[in-house]
Amino acid sequence: MNKFMKTLILVLISFGLSTTLCFSQDYYVLHLTGNIKDASSQRNLMVGDIIHSDTELIFFESNAKAIVISKEKGRMLLDGSKAKDNRHGEFEALLTQVIMPVAANVNMSSRRLAEVPNKDIKDIGSYFGENQRVVLGNEYTLNLDKEVFKKKGGTTYIYRYEIDKQAVNKVLKIYDGEMLLNKAALYPIDRYDIPEHGSAVEIFITSVISKKTEKIASLKICFVNEKLLYREVQTLIKVLNIKGKDEEIIKEVGTYVNATYGEPFEGELKSWLMKNEIIPSTVDLK
């Protein structure tokens, strides 16, 4: 056997091994939108599940998606729109047919140069900015400028969004300059998918006396399900092997939350990580 043939065989063996490694990749489920089932086990995927490259998936809706992660490839997207209709109202595909890189992070594309502190807010729209903002839990308090938002007789603040293209109006109350955004008060419990996936909102001020209504803010807000986020963060830490590495956890969780849900308010993410004992309370919040 000549030298050329030996070299060719070694190259082919090397290519075969790399191909095998590529297609034997295991992924952890990190985030789900819609329902997806493992065809072999007939069970719905859950955050933390391990799936293999040869897994056949069934998407219950064509717009169902999942974010998965591996140590080698990082975060990837499983897109149900790439699967084939099985004529039973479901969509089937091998994992390798629907996996692709996660799209560029639109939430971080226009990051503001500096955070606006939650104190004496004069303009609610400016405080939220253009990005979708994240509430880690069920409520968030805005500390408003008392002079700008002083109580006036016959004046009401309205929180407006849409459900199935129908406008929903909820009254916002201000007590001593504090405006509370509470998910349970603002959204029907059976439609929590709306605020948890992000909701476009307008805030109006209306006068009973003058009958005038003025829009004072447009914003996008996402109330994150804390229990689900906790499982997602634990999976992220496990796959990346960064347990106990506080700075890396803050960085990786911050990137993940921004990409998946939106931009947290100043200090909120680190505070949440501490509250859930994911990082110690001694970590500097700055």
Side-chain angles (χ1 to χ4, degrees), residues 59-77:
F59 297 80
F60 287 82
E61 311 91 12
S62 63
N63 61 352
K65 292 178 173 61
I67 296 175
V68 297
I69 185 172
S70 75
K71 177 70 173 178
E72 295 76 15
K73 288 183 174 288
R75 289 180 294 115
M76 302 288 284
L77 175 69

Side-chain angles (χ1 to χ4, degrees), residues 99-129:
I99 194 167
M100 62 195 67
V102 174
N105 183 7
V106 294
N107 291 316
M108 298 181 72
S109 62
S110 58
R111 294 296 301 274
R112 288 165 293 169
L113 296 177
E115 287 282 1
V116 179
N118 187 2
K119 181 181 179 181
D120 298 330
I121 298 170
K122 293 181 171 62
D123 186 327
I124 296 174
S126 295
Y127 177 70
F128 274 79

Side-chain angles (χ1 to χ4, degrees), residues 5-268:
M5 289 299 295
K6 288 180 179 179
T7 303
L8 179 60
I9 289 171
L10 287 172
V11 170
L12 290 173
I13 290 172
S14 176
F15 177 77
L17 287 173
S18 64
T19 302
T20 301
L21 288 172
C22 176
F23 283 97
S24 63
Q25 186 76 249
D26 289 343
Y27 296 91
Y28 286 76
V29 177
L30 193 55
H31 180 77
L32 290 158
T33 301
N35 296 308
I36 306 172
K37 182 167 65 176
D38 183 326
S40 60
S41 67
Q42 288 295 302
R43 64 181 294 272
N44 287 5
L45 295 183
M46 298 178 63
V47 172
D49 282 351
I50 302 174
I51 50 178
H52 313 289
S53 296
D54 60 353
T55 299
E56 183 177 1
L57 299 169
I58 298 175
F59 297 80
F60 287 82
E61 311 91 12
S62 63
N63 61 352
K65 292 178 173 61
I67 296 175
V68 297
I69 185 172
S70 75
K71 177 70 173 178
E72 295 76 15
K73 288 183 174 288
R75 289 180 294 115
M76 302 288 284
L77 175 69
L78 303 184
D79 187 352
S81 68
K82 308 299 181 184
K84 293 183 178 179
D85 189 343
N86 65 6
R87 298 184 181 180
H88 297 291
E90 300 171 342
F91 303 84
E92 298 179 6
L94 293 174
L95 181 146
T96 52
Q97 296 171 324
V98 294
I99 194 167
M100 62 195 67
V102 174
N105 183 7
V106 294
N107 291 316
M108 298 181 72
S109 62
S110 58
R111 294 296 301 274
R112 288 165 293 169
L113 296 177
E115 287 282 1
V116 179
N118 187 2
K119 181 181 179 181
D120 298 330
I121 298 170
K122 293 181 171 62
D123 186 327
I124 296 174
S126 295
Y127 177 70
F128 274 79
E130 295 181 1
N131 297 341
Q132 180 164 291
R133 304 308 297 270
V134 166
V135 172
L136 299 170
N138 294 327
E139 63 181 37
Y140 186 74
T141 299
L142 297 172
N143 295 294
L144 306 174
D145 184 295
K146 294 180 182 179
E147 285 301 311
V148 175
F149 293 91
K150 59 187 176 183
K151 189 174 182 180
K152 300 176 183 177
T155 298
T156 304
Y157 291 91
I158 302 296
Y159 182 99
R160 179 179 297 173
Y161 59 94
E162 289 188 354
I163 295 180
D164 299 329
K165 298 183 178 180
Q166 296 294 317
V168 178
N169 297 301
K170 296 288 184 177
V171 174
L172 288 169
K173 295 182 180 179
I174 299 177
Y175 296 102
D176 195 27
E178 293 185 348
M179 177 183 283
L180 179 64
L181 303 180
N182 181 279
K183 182 170 72 171
L186 298 173
Y187 296 89
I189 293 175
D190 62 341
R191 295 304 303 269
Y192 270 6
D193 59 315
I194 295 171
E196 288 182 359
H197 289 146
S199 180
V201 173
E202 295 176 319
I203 296 179
F204 292 84
I205 182 171
T206 182
S207 172
V208 176
I209 299 172
S210 66
K211 307 297 182 183
K212 290 183 179 180
T213 298
E214 177 188 0
K215 182 169 70 174
I216 60 172
S218 294
L219 52 101
K220 289 173 283 188
I221 188 168
C222 176
F223 288 84
V224 176
N225 182 316
E226 287 191 274
K227 291 182 179 178
L228 181 58
L229 180 61
Y230 182 83
R231 294 200 299 271
E232 294 172 350
V233 168
Q234 291 294 348
T235 301
L236 185 72
I237 291 171
K238 177 181 179 180
V239 175
L240 298 180
N241 193 27
I242 55 175
K243 185 176 182 180
K245 301 176 181 178
D246 302 332
E247 291 302 321
E248 286 190 55
I249 289 173
I250 294 168
K251 177 184 175 183
E252 294 294 343
V253 173
T255 298
Y256 171 71
V257 170
N258 266 282
T260 308
Y261 296 106
E263 182 184 354
F265 292 103
E266 183 180 18
E268 289 292 302

